[in-house]
Amino acid sequence: MKIAILPGDGIGPEIVAQAVNVLNVLGESFEMETAPVGGAGYAAHGHPLPEATLTLAKQADAILLGAVGDWKYDTLERALRPEQAILGLRKHLNLFANLRPAILYPELAGASTLKPEIVSGLDILIIRELTGDVYFGQPRGVRIATDGAFIGEREGFDTMRYAETEIRRIAHVAFQAAQKRDKRLTSVDKANVLETFQFWKDIVTEVHQEYPDVALDHMYIDNASMQLIRAPKKFDVIVTGNMFGDILSDAAAMLTGSIGMLPSASLDANNKGLYEPSHGSAPDIAGKGIANPLATILSAAMMLRFTLAKPEQADRIETAVKKVLAQGLRTPDIYEPGTTKVGTEEMGNAVVRALT
Ligand code: IPM
Ligand code: MG
């Protein structure tokens, strides 16, 4: 089985190196090949998603990505910015289903900005549609308004849209995920205002007929944001569109205290996937050896579970991560007095030790 390793920018290379070490001690024979992506892709080949990187990603069975983005590249035209690599990979590989679990490890309950009783034991799954919506809708751009109160003026515009097939397939993923959990699904929309999301709601309701064992409810995005902060444990699985999911998943991540702990998977219809930490490239701490590698290591575990069909290896990694947390090891982002502050490499090595 071949894994494409795309370290990317900022802390990406440091945290990916630790996940690769973990994969290497599992006793499996994975073939791994590394390629530049994001700012690193631009620096090496003049494009954030170089042709060779895309080809490797297509050939591989699974992709492990660090993070992309660096202030250095912020002044480039949009098509050349690091973020385009990730959007391009999602689109070219049809990775429409984004799974973002938000789990609070009991050891880290004090790291949340919310009261421990609100968040302790939190275990929710956000499923974000990843290749449609206003992110990819055409047309988009800046034009001269031809009607309305601001006629003749320049206006920026994007297109929000969802095809029926796109809604159906993500709804199936969500209902099936809920079936494996607590059998409760919340579909988040803005059906009270947007045509796109009234349609979304109607289709999700239709698909529900095939999953009578799952309890479905619908919530508007504004209310869902509020409920997520007020009583997050009331949720089990949340399914929503690309843009709402982007926002909601960052909020959910913060409930757990550190975005440095959360993995993610982006899957196509055959469970081929791209795995990456939910956090970004953190250029401010790049090269300092203090980034938390656990989200990337847990992303490798998700990869073993969903794409490589090695659930027992995924369990092993997750158990090892719990073990190092129980040992009191903490990178600075999750440090609390009374625990032991360690760097990226020390944390990675501790997980490796806990595995063997
Ligand atoms: C994410 C990120 C991306 C997104 C950016 C980097 C394009 O915020 O994966 O959540 O908006 O999808
Ligand atoms: Mg985001």
Side-chain angles (χ1 to χ4, degrees):
M1 274 172 297
K2 184 162 179 174
I3 307 173
I5 306 286
L6 313 183
D9 307 320
I11 58 171
E14 301 162 57
I15 53 180
V16 165
Q18 299 311 314
V20 168
N21 287 346
V22 167
L23 285 168
N24 275 330
V25 297
L26 294 176
E28 303 280 347
S29 51
F30 299 125
E31 189 194 332
M32 297 192 228
E33 192 177 331
T34 304
V37 75
Y42 177 78
H45 301 286
H47 195 278
L49 184 55
E51 203 54 52
T53 302
L54 180 58
T55 305
L56 170 67
K58 282 183 175 164
Q59 282 169 353
D61 296 294
I63 302 148
L64 184 67
L65 187 137
V68 298
D70 195 312
W71 47 265
K72 272 191 289 199
Y73 306 104
D74 278 355
T75 50
L76 290 172
E77 59 175 288
R78 181 176 301 282
L80 295 178
R81 283 192 216 153
E83 292 75 13
Q84 293 304 313
I86 210 136
L87 295 171
L89 282 166
R90 289 171 183 172
K91 199 66 186 173
H92 286 293
L93 302 181
N94 245 313
L95 305 171
F96 67 87
N98 184 212
L99 277 46
R100 297 190 169 183
I103 294 170
L104 185 72
Y105 292 87
E107 291 87 358
L108 302 183
S112 176
T113 47
L114 270 72
K115 296 191 193 99
E117 64 266 28
I118 303 288
V119 290
S120 70
L122 181 78
D123 178 357
I124 62 179
L125 174 63
I126 297 193
I127 299 187
R128 168 188 177 195
E129 199 291 329
L130 206 55
T131 51
D133 204 352
V134 69
Y135 265 56
F136 292 96
Q138 293 290 346
R140 54 186 279 163
V142 176
R143 63 187 171 195
I144 304 293
T146 52
D147 56 14
F150 301 100
I151 191 164
E153 217 182 273
R154 286 193 307 154
E155 65 178 8
F157 69 105
D158 296 272
T159 303
M160 180 175 270
R161 52 154 300 287
Y162 263 120
E164 183 171 345
T165 305
E166 290 177 292
I167 304 170
R168 277 188 191 280
R169 66 186 182 181
I170 194 72
H172 281 289
V173 170
F175 281 114
Q176 285 164 24
Q179 279 182 324
K180 295 192 194 116
R181 296 173 45 106
D182 202 29
K183 298 191 168 51
R184 291 180 295 116
L185 177 64
T186 304
S187 171
V188 171
D189 62 54
K190 190 70 189 174
N192 51 342
V193 177
L194 300 170
E195 298 297 334
T196 310
F197 276 92
Q198 179 61 56
F199 185 57
W200 169 284
K201 184 174 180 177
D202 294 345
I203 300 297
V204 172
T205 304
E206 262 181 58
V207 176
H208 183 211
Q209 290 173 0
E210 295 174 49
Y211 301 92
D213 55 328
V214 176
L216 170 69
D217 68 335
H218 304 273
M219 214 179 257
Y220 299 139
I221 177 65
D222 48 351
N223 184 30
S225 313
M226 183 170 78
Q227 299 306 333
L228 197 61
I229 308 300
R230 194 184 70 84
K233 284 190 271 184
K234 293 223 167 122
F235 293 101
D236 178 23
V237 181
I238 293 175
V239 65
T240 190
N242 204 344
M243 169 116 112
F244 298 155
D246 178 45
I247 300 165
L248 221 49
S249 61
D250 264 27
M254 197 55 221
L255 296 174
T256 71
S258 172
I259 199 165
M261 293 297 301
L262 298 178
S264 79
S266 304
L267 305 174
D268 75 2
N270 305 311
N271 283 340
K272 171 172 174 169
L274 180 147
Y275 297 83
E276 58 176 325
S278 283
H279 60 71
S281 55
D284 53 321
I285 59 162
K288 295 192 177 152
I290 57 171
N292 187 345
L294 293 179
T296 316
I297 291 171
L298 290 167
S299 298
M302 280 187 102
M303 176 168 82
L304 288 156
R305 191 180 305 285
F306 290 102
T307 296
L308 302 178
K310 303 255 176 217
E312 56 313 318
Q313 297 284 27
D315 289 343
R316 274 183 77 199
I317 295 178
E318 285 163 6
T319 305
V321 167
K322 285 184 194 139
K323 215 158 140 187
V324 302
L325 290 176
Q327 286 162 3
L329 303 187
R330 302 284 187 275
T331 42
D333 57 312
I334 50 174
Y335 174 78
E336 284 172 89
T339 60
T340 312
K341 202 182 278 186
V342 297
T344 311
E345 245 180 73
E346 271 172 285
M347 188 60 115
N349 290 341
V351 175
V352 166
R353 270 198 309 276
L355 273 167
T356 46

